[in-house]
Amino acid sequence: QAVKQSHFPAVAMAAEERESKAEGVDTTSDGARRRKPLKADIGHVTEKNIGQLKKLNTATFPVVYKEQFYQDLLKALDYSRLGYYADILVSSICCRLEDRPAGGKALYIMTLSVLKPYQRRGMASQLVRWAIKRAEGKEGQADDVREMYLHVQTSNQSAIEFYRVFGFEITDEIKNYYKKIEPPDCYVLRKPMNGAELAEGGTSQSVVPDDIADEA
């Protein structure tokens, strides 16, 4: 069953998790039951499993990603990974390097997805941590990664709070970023990397990418 999301294209299921520090089932302040976190097995995206990623995105996003999205993804896989549990693909993160107006590179989180039965189990958090660790490691330093960023719909407070846990902050607002959803505006959330500072002027991307089709 597809999961309705309103903060595409940057993330799907990005805000489904507030990881519980307690083990086992717990309750939140509103009485909702938390489930025990699961450990994700992180694997590579390849030509052989790209079809599985397509199915995951179809089940998770309210939009259809065009074939060009996946073709471009296969050309640069350094910052994209799949998350498995019990040998089942349940989550993914796809990021790409972009030129940064202030110099260096920005790592843009294009998609972050988790299947509904595995939400609130720590899957998205593990993938975000993986991306941050890689961007801050020797690979990211070699690529001159100076920040990470993504877009979140202005009404999606839970996604904003999720990313703030990892050090992202709202730096810009883009009017009419989304098509066919309300509100159509988004925030740009950015996180400085490798000792860099967030320069004024934002990032290079200000429109919805052409590799996303209309709402499904």
Side-chain angles (χ1 to χ4, degrees), residues 41-106:
D41 293 321
I42 298 177
H44 293 265
V45 182
T46 68
E47 290 186 7
K48 292 183 178 181
N49 62 28
I50 194 74
Q52 296 180 48
L53 177 60
K54 293 178 183 179
K55 292 179 180 179
L56 175 66
N57 285 348
T58 298
T60 309
F61 290 94
V63 295
V64 177
Y65 280 80
K66 297 179 182 179
E67 185 61 27
Q68 190 62 47
F69 171 85
Y70 298 101
Q71 294 302 316
D72 291 342
L73 183 64
L74 285 172
K75 298 175 183 177
L77 295 171
D78 290 346
Y79 295 94
S80 297
R81 288 295 186 272
L82 304 177
Y84 294 87
Y85 182 74
D87 295 326
I88 300 172
L89 177 62
V90 300
S91 57
S92 70
I93 187 168
C94 296
C95 311
R96 70 179 176 213
L97 288 173
E98 298 180 352
D99 291 329
R100 188 167 173 263
K105 297 288 186 179

Side-chain angles (χ1 to χ4, degrees), residues 89-146:
L89 177 62
V90 300
S91 57
S92 70
I93 187 168
C94 296
C95 311
R96 70 179 176 213
L97 288 173
E98 298 180 352
D99 291 329
R100 188 167 173 263
K105 297 288 186 179
L107 186 63
Y108 176 54
I109 301 178
M110 297 184 290
T111 61
L112 175 63
S113 60
V114 179
L115 287 177
K116 188 174 182 179
Y118 299 89
Q119 296 168 22
R120 308 185 75 87
R121 308 297 291 269
M123 292 293 180
S125 294
Q126 291 173 71
L127 290 170
V128 171
R129 289 193 191 101
W130 172 86
I132 292 173
K133 183 177 179 180
R134 189 171 183 86
E136 290 180 333
K138 62 181 182 180
E139 296 89 353
Q141 293 176 20
D143 289 330
D144 198 16
V145 177
R146 301 188 186 182

